[in-house]
Amino acid sequence: MSELLTRRADLAPATADREARTVEVIWSTGAPVKRRDLDGEYVERLSLDPKAVDLSRLEGASVLDAHRQDSLARVLGTVREAAVDGQRGTALLQFSSRPEVEPIWQDVVTGILRHVSVGYTVEEWAETTEDGARVLTAVRWTPHEISLVPSPADPGAKVRKEDEMTETATPETTESETPPEAPIENCALA
């Protein structure tokens, strides 16, 4: 079984529909992220070629509280739609109307909670070297869930603003804060 990896991003409330309790997010821009494994540091990239990404598990998947899967109470909503266009992954999230989720939804709407992260598995890597650095690119991978998180890993992954509907985010490299022996999880999204 593949290890579940995660990346974080930002969200912006301009696309929030209060009545439908939905918001659009960019869950990946494919930004390079520094990681570490037993062979040392490497740069991870996610291919956003539609042929590389299996969205079958993401459409209808849970929106979670910081990747926590220990309780049904951690489910904040669901992923209604998901897509990749070669430059970024986007989704429409719908939040639950349960009373305990209401404060979280209000913080999304007001822009207090803006960061998202995607949890995914990688079925196939392509390894290259660039400027002396090892680069692993996920060329066949499956996103499983989207989470609201405290801090982003991919600087372009976020709740969408209206002016971002047709623009493309520019990927930036972000340092991982995860020790090598811990499950891989970055503080910025890609």
Side-chain angles (χ1 to χ4, degrees), residues 22 29 37 60 62 77 82 90-91 94 124 128 135 160 166 174 181:
T22 60
T29 64
D37 64 11
S62 294
T90 58
Q94 183 176 29
E124 183 179 344
T128 58
V135 177
R160 294 178 80 174
T166 57
T174 305
E181 63 276 356

Side-chain angles (χ1 to χ4, degrees), residues 6-7 33-36 41-42 44 120 184-186:
T6 63
R7 288 189 172 202
V33 173
K34 289 183 181 178
R35 299 248 192 214
R36 173 178 294 280
E41 287 189 3
Y42 65 95
E44 179 194 83
Y120 56 96
I184 297 174
E185 182 171 337
N186 286 339

Side-chain angles (χ1 to χ4, degrees), residues 160-171:
R160 294 178 80 174
K161 296 186 255 182
E162 289 185 30
D163 63 346
E164 294 173 324
M165 295 306 198
T166 57
E167 292 180 12
T168 6
T170 304

Side-chain angles (χ1 to χ4, degrees), residues 138-160:
V139 294
R140 196 167 59 84
W141 61 285
T142 306
H144 292 259
E145 52 91 359
I146 295 175
S147 288
L148 290 179
V149 294
S151 60
D154 177 334
K158 56 189 165 190
V159 173
R160 294 178 80 174

